Amino acid sequence: MHKHIVNLLILISVIVVVAASARYLARQDTFFQYGHYRGASVAQIAEKLPKHQGSATCEQCHKEIYGEWVSGIHRKATKDNAIRGVVIKSGPGCEVCHTPAGNHPSKEAMPLSTEDQVTTLTHKWENHPINAADRNLMRDPQDMRILCTNCHEKIPGRPLRGKVAGEGVPVQAVTDVVGIHGVPQVVIEGHGGDELCTTCHNPHSPRIVFASVPRPPSDPKTGKLAAVSAPKPGDANAGKAVAANCAACHGANGMSVNPEWPNLAGQHTGYLVASLEAFKSGARKNDMMSPMAANLSEADMRNVAAYFAAASCKSSDSDKAKADLGKTRAQAAGCAACHSSGGLNKAGIAGVSGSQAWPNLAGQSAQYLTVALKAFKDGSRNHAVMSSVAKTLGDADIENLSAFYAGASCK
Amino acid sequence: MNQLSSEEKMTTQDINTEKEASHISRRSFLGMLGKGAACAGAAVGAGGALASAGGGAANALGGVGPTYQQEPEQYAEARKNPPKIPGYNWTEHKWAFGVDSNRCIGCLRCVEACKMENSVQMDRNHTRTWVERYVYLEGSDHAHVDSIHDLKNVMPGSKETRFVFDNRYKNAKVTKAFFVPKLCNQCEKPSCVQVCPTGATYKTPDGPVLIDTKYCIGCQYCVQACPYGARSLNHVRGTAEKCNWCYHRITKGLNPACVEVCPTGTRIFGDRMDPESPISQFLRNNRVNVLKPDMGNMPNVFYAGIDKEVI
């Protein structure tokens, strides 16, 4: 036989031997076990640790917030199960906004799954952000307005429930139509302006319930809740001494001597304290009030607020024709959503705010209310919601609204 | 087609053969070639039909027979020695997925949840599940379609990690619009499994089509084979990427991450072998269809409320 043929045969047999041994030695035992694949890979894929832990996990430590969520509209959002005959989870849970819990509260990175350990020659190892030590799990919601508008901004194609808030009028509550799937939606420009949603809405239970105190104010840039110590109730007796300084303008019993200055009698303590703090910090400026507030301690503010809140208020007489016009305008402008104890949907006491954070309008003089609204309108006083509302009001509207609220019963 | 075209050639040549007798052999040769090609085509077609008849069809509800491309003895092994997953036997379940498009609000929480749960690359070009928006403008008879793959739907300043549908039709006259979530259909007859050269992707008896990332060589043949565009290449791992219904979660009795976070109940998941599971109820109470039924892949994701333009 020729030598080159022998060489060729040797080469072929070497290849056959290598291929055959590779076939039996390098093969995974479990290949072909269940099919044309590695049987062991099934359990490896199933081994990975879940990162979404479910809202019930959060309850173990965050009982209070979990309670808010369970009883709120976000939990009940999709309870039309019976109609469609489909059992579904109700509403957005904790991890929808807060991102998956992973191994929270541990600070360690989660162990890598089999899948995550795969690297190839051409693809160098990179950490997925979720697996890094400073992983993206359990983020603090950074900008709560973006989070809320993910679901609640009005865009074509998004199934709607109830009316659109903020379309045409500045603030308008959303009525809930039970049984139709969809979400309440807002037109941002007309609803809250630049204000964060969380100023008025508790994200864990966003329907405004006027009996409850709203959440503490949040930082507009980071969206984080401002640190507030638990408010201690003020001492009205101690406040009487402080109130002596106020009496020259606001009267000893909280009824001001000049109708262009606000009456303090019967006002919410929360609003009085917040106003004094705003004057002290410079967030709100007034030639007379700023130096007055600068000298007050926190305890002084709480005490004097308690003193005036306990004082008896008195409604003033007002032009009946204007007041009637104002009543209609108040409904259209959405004033009642905050400044009526029942909100927009339920008839309540007009001018008596349901929340400690918002001022009562009943018991004020019409002149003061006019001054305040005009200040919001021309920008000399600023509040995200009130400034945008006031800009939609004409001079006649302002007079009518002032007359309506000045004449409303403050009891 | 081959046969037809060669016959045409023969007829044109018939006219010429009167002059040149030597062309007869070429004519018969072409005829043989045509017949041969037709036979070969028929054989391939029949073979393919036989191959696809070999699995899947008998197994619509699981636990009945071998899955796609699984030999009977391999199926017997799957029943006898199932993979060691604590508290889970893969022959006792048949998972399926429902999408009620009427409910979808396009909030994209599912997309972000999926990326976090499964360590999918965070940018807009890599997704296991995504949501499409179909918008019909006034006077137009076709839909404008966009999804998070469009740069406009990336949340500004988020470095392509967070997504929100841009309000681009705010001032347009929209006659109809809706959102459609998309994901891997976990077909009964998956094209991707058929083309995989290394056995890195396979159909399990309980429903999902899985990817063994250790055996995946990143050739992307499966990416091209999938009629639904559900597969992509993970450029960090260099392996194929697709939804597996969070196999690590469903084997632990949990819902897939997207179903877990969906705030409206658009996504429905469950076991078809349990008549009271959400998916069984969904299929009973809704008239559903699947995407591209004519492809013959027999998807396991069922849609309610989608329009004819959704494919």
Side-chain angles (χ1 to χ4, degrees):
Chain A
M1 201 181 286
H2 292 293
K3 196 183 173 189
H4 63 274
I5 293 184
V6 174
N7 284 350
L8 192 63
L9 288 176
I10 291 171
L11 185 63
I12 290 172
S13 56
V14 166
I15 290 172
V16 166
V17 168
V18 167
S21 50
R23 172 82 169 73
Y24 288 100
L25 295 178
R27 199 192 80 190
Q28 288 274 345
D29 286 344
T30 57
F31 208 91
F32 291 121
Q33 186 186 4
Y34 306 126
H36 182 243
Y37 56 92
R38 204 162 55 91
S41 68
V42 182
Q44 282 172 4
I45 292 168
E47 247 173 30
K48 189 160 84 169
L49 296 172
K51 292 186 180 117
H52 286 79
Q53 306 290 356
S55 302
T57 318
C58 311
E59 186 191 6
Q60 293 165 11
C61 303
H62 307 280
K63 283 198 169 60
E64 199 180 321
I65 290 174
Y66 183 85
E68 282 181 5
W69 172 72
V70 163
S71 55
I73 183 73
H74 262 172
R75 164 76 176 164
K76 292 170 186 156
T78 48
K79 281 229 168 138
D80 52 340
N81 303 354
I83 295 167
R84 305 287 294 189
V86 175
V87 182
I88 47 171
K89 295 232 166 190
S90 298
C94 309
E95 288 165 320
V96 175
C97 299
H98 291 276
T99 67
N103 54 356
H104 171 87
S106 163
K107 300 279 180 215
E108 302 291 313
M110 285 189 81
L112 290 180
S113 65
T114 317
E115 192 176 55
D116 289 333
Q117 289 166 9
V118 169
T119 53
T120 61
L121 287 175
T122 47
H123 296 87
K124 297 225 175 77
W125 168 247
E126 281 177 49
N127 251 335
H128 187 268
I130 206 167
N131 296 317
D134 57 341
R135 68 216 190 291
N136 267 354
L137 294 174
M138 273 329 270
R139 280 181 295 197
D140 245 359
Q142 285 297 304
D143 186 338
M144 287 186 247
R145 204 159 69 117
I146 286 178
L147 265 182
C148 302
T149 53
N150 260 330
C151 298
H152 294 292
E153 183 181 8
K154 179 182 179 281
I155 63 173
R158 182 165 285 167
L160 174 69
R161 171 158 57 188
K163 283 188 274 180
V164 176
E167 207 170 42
V169 290
V171 182
Q172 184 184 331
V174 179
T175 50
D176 194 34
V177 181
V178 179
I180 301 171
H181 40 76
V183 288
Q185 289 169 38
V186 300
V187 173
I188 301 169
E189 295 82 16
H191 183 65
D194 296 333
E195 187 65 23
L196 287 178
C197 310
T198 45
T199 303
C200 297
H201 299 273
N202 172 355
H204 300 123
S205 175
R207 179 181 283 168
I208 295 179
V209 179
F210 291 86
S212 70
V213 181
R215 298 179 61 77
S218 50
D219 185 317
K221 280 187 191 136
T222 62
K224 284 187 180 169
L225 296 180
V228 282
S229 50
K232 290 173 200 153
D235 180 351
N237 286 332
K240 194 170 182 181
V242 185
N245 300 323
C246 315
C249 298
H250 292 290
N253 53 2
M255 299 304 287
S256 294
V257 296
N258 183 333
E260 292 199 356
W261 300 332
N263 296 331
L264 306 182
Q267 190 55 276
H268 282 310
T269 50
Y271 175 71
L272 289 175
V273 171
S275 302
L276 287 171
E277 279 173 348
F279 283 126
K280 190 175 180 178
S281 71
R284 196 175 155 189
K285 287 190 179 67
N286 181 294
D287 290 343
M288 279 184 276
M289 280 310 297
S290 299
M292 291 294 290
N295 297 324
L296 294 178
S297 69
E298 266 186 48
D300 285 341
M301 292 180 187
R302 280 198 305 273
N303 294 342
V304 75
Y307 172 76
F308 281 120
S312 156
C313 69
K314 197 167 130 268
S315 301
S316 48
D317 297 328
S318 62
D319 187 329
K320 186 127 193 341
K322 281 184 183 174
D324 284 346
L325 289 170
K327 189 175 182 183
T328 328
R329 193 74 185 93
Q331 195 68 21
C335 310
C338 299
H339 295 296
S340 157
S341 58
L344 256 188
N345 300 329
K346 297 169 209 151
I349 308 165
V352 177
S353 301
S355 157
Q356 286 283 324
W358 303 319
N360 291 337
L361 304 184
Q364 296 299 341
S365 65
Q367 286 94 323
Y368 169 67
L369 290 174
T370 307
V371 166
L373 277 173
K374 284 188 173 161
F376 282 124
K377 191 177 177 183
D378 66 23
S380 56
R381 191 176 162 189
N382 274 305
H383 183 268
V385 176
M386 281 312 298
S387 300
S388 67
V389 173
K391 286 192 177 70
T392 67
L393 301 172
D395 284 352
D397 287 331
I398 290 180
E399 274 190 31
N400 295 340
L401 283 170
S402 302
F404 168 60
Y405 280 116
S409 165
C410 64
K411 300 290 179 186
Chain B
M1 286 303 283
N2 278 334
Q3 197 171 15
L4 266 182
S5 56
S6 51
E7 272 174 6
E8 275 170 23
K9 278 178 194 163
M10 283 169 70
T11 42
T12 47
Q13 277 166 8
D14 275 342
I15 305 163
N16 297 333
T17 39
E18 308 234 322
K19 291 174 189 168
E20 292 182 57
S22 66
H23 279 210
I24 293 170
S25 60
R26 187 192 287 172
R27 184 177 62 186
S28 57
F29 172 73
L30 285 167
M32 279 163 62
L33 196 66
K35 280 171 194 159
C39 288
V44 168
L50 280 173
S52 50
N59 197 25
L61 281 178
V64 190
T67 56
Y68 186 68
Q69 290 186 344
Q70 191 176 36
E71 301 296 329
E73 55 269 29
Q74 288 169 333
Y75 179 67
E77 170 74 5
R79 288 183 75 88
K80 204 172 126 209
N81 295 318
K84 288 177 183 58
I85 304 171
Y88 183 79
N89 185 338
W90 67 352
T91 52
E92 289 170 4
H93 303 275
K94 181 67 186 177
W95 303 110
F97 202 102
V99 175
D100 187 349
S101 175
N102 294 311
R103 290 168 180 264
C104 184
I105 59 172
C107 65
L108 299 173
R109 299 305 85 205
C110 47
V111 176
E112 287 183 16
C114 172
K115 281 173 175 281
M116 298 297 258
E117 180 72 38
N118 294 302
S119 316
V120 183
Q121 283 173 269
M122 294 303 282
D123 62 74
R124 69 198 159 92
N125 290 320
H126 296 84
T127 47
R128 287 191 179 195
T129 182
W130 68 102
V131 180
E132 290 170 359
R133 167 165 64 178
Y134 289 73
V135 178
Y136 294 79
L137 296 176
E138 196 175 68
S140 165
D141 60 350
H142 69 278
H144 295 255
V145 188
D146 65 329
S147 75
I148 70 158
H149 303 108
D150 187 335
L151 192 58
K152 270 195 156 186
N153 294 330
V154 174
M155 197 176 280
S158 71
K159 295 182 184 161
E160 294 199 9
T161 56
R162 314 212 67 192
F163 305 95
V164 61
F165 269 111
D166 176 49
N167 201 351
R168 69 181 75 178
Y169 299 106
K170 198 193 288 182
N171 300 318
K173 286 191 174 171
V174 177
T175 51
K176 181 163 73 172
F178 53 91
F179 299 97
V180 181
K182 293 272 186 82
L183 65 160
C184 172
N185 282 295
Q186 323 286 358
C187 310
E188 282 304 307
K189 296 179 182 176
S191 316
C192 52
V193 172
Q194 190 181 2
V195 300
C196 180
T198 61
T201 189
Y202 51 91
K203 176 83 179 167
T204 56
D206 48 351
V209 175
L210 302 182
I211 297 176
D212 176 4
T213 41
K214 285 199 167 166
Y215 267 37
C216 178
I217 56 171
C219 71
Q220 302 184 61
Y221 199 1
C222 56
V223 177
Q224 297 186 37
C226 176
Y228 303 100
R231 282 179 173 252
S232 60
L233 183 76
N234 185 320
H235 284 84
V236 171
R237 293 184 199 124
T239 63
E241 174 95 274
K242 79 166 190 73
C243 164
N244 58 6
W245 284 346
C246 287
Y247 199 67
H248 62 292
R249 294 178 63 88
I250 62 177
T251 49
K252 295 178 179 71
L254 302 166
N255 272 326
C258 58
V259 178
E260 180 72 27
V261 301
C262 180
T264 62
T266 300
R267 290 165 177 263
I268 295 134
F269 183 78
D271 187 353
R272 289 193 70 181
M273 288 164 89
D274 171 10
E276 292 312 312
S277 70
I279 188 64
S280 299
Q281 294 188 39
F282 174 74
L283 294 177
R284 266 206 307 278
N285 294 316
N286 288 280
R287 275 152 282 181
V288 297
N289 58 5
V290 295
L291 301 179
K292 294 185 185 172
D294 45 324
M295 296 301 292
N297 286 56
M298 299 170 70
N300 276 313
V301 177
F302 300 94
Y303 284 84
I306 54 169
D307 217 356
K308 63 176 166 43
E309 289 216 15
V310 180
I311 50 169

